[in-house]
Amino acid sequence: MAKLSQDDLLAQFEEMTLIELSEFVKAFEEKFDVTAAAAAPVVVAGGAAGGAAAEAVEEKDEFDVVLTGAGDKKIQVIKVVRELTSLGLKEAKDLVDGAPKPVLEKVAKDAADKAKEALEGAGASVEVK
């Protein structure tokens, strides 16, 4: 197998869903017996308070789409979740059954709005954070 450049690897990661990427990171950590270093800065950043949090809200360009309830049309909601996330049937059903759960994380505002509209159209309760 030819050695992949960093750009090639990044291009492959761009095509992955967040769940697929999360599973890859777990497999990587197990294979090489390491821990992802990105977790530490997140904890430190989460400890910041006051004015920094208010400034972050104004500059926010990444949003999370959170399913808060499936409503009466659970099957339709599962179908929409599968379309949005590329999850399998069981994973999508588990996500819908486990609401409130994030469907998409760190997506652009327009993508979050489209996902919210699609999920609400299927009868779900959705929150964009």
Side-chain angles (χ1 to χ4, degrees):
M1 181 174 150
K3 185 174 179 180
L4 296 175
S5 71
Q6 185 174 3
D7 291 335
D8 292 336
L9 286 170
L10 289 173
Q12 289 297 315
F13 291 134
E14 281 181 335
E15 295 176 13
M16 297 173 83
T17 65
L18 290 175
I19 293 173
E20 291 170 334
L21 191 55
S22 174
E23 291 170 353
F24 170 77
V25 169
K26 288 177 187 173
F28 186 89
E29 289 174 341
E30 289 174 11
K31 170 84 174 171
F32 297 104
D33 194 28
V34 295
T35 303
V42 171
V43 172
V44 173
E55 289 176 19
V57 171
E58 292 175 21
E59 298 174 14
K60 189 170 186 174
D61 61 349
E62 293 181 338
F63 298 86
D64 295 342
V65 179
V66 179
L67 178 71
T68 56
D72 296 336
K73 301 177 184 176
K74 185 172 153 182
I75 293 172
Q76 295 300 324
V77 174
I78 291 170
K79 287 180 181 180
V80 172
V81 167
R82 289 189 67 202
E83 290 171 8
L84 293 171
T85 61
S86 303
L87 288 174
L89 180 60
K90 182 182 181 333
E91 292 83 5
K93 181 184 179 301
D94 291 345
L95 188 146
V96 171
D97 287 342
K101 290 238 178 169
V103 177
L104 298 173
E105 296 177 320
K106 298 183 181 177
V107 296
K109 177 73 171 156
D110 60 336
D113 290 339
K114 287 179 185 177
K116 179 180 179 183
E117 186 177 309
L119 287 163
E120 287 178 343
S125 303
V126 182
E127 187 177 299
V128 176
K129 295 183 178 181

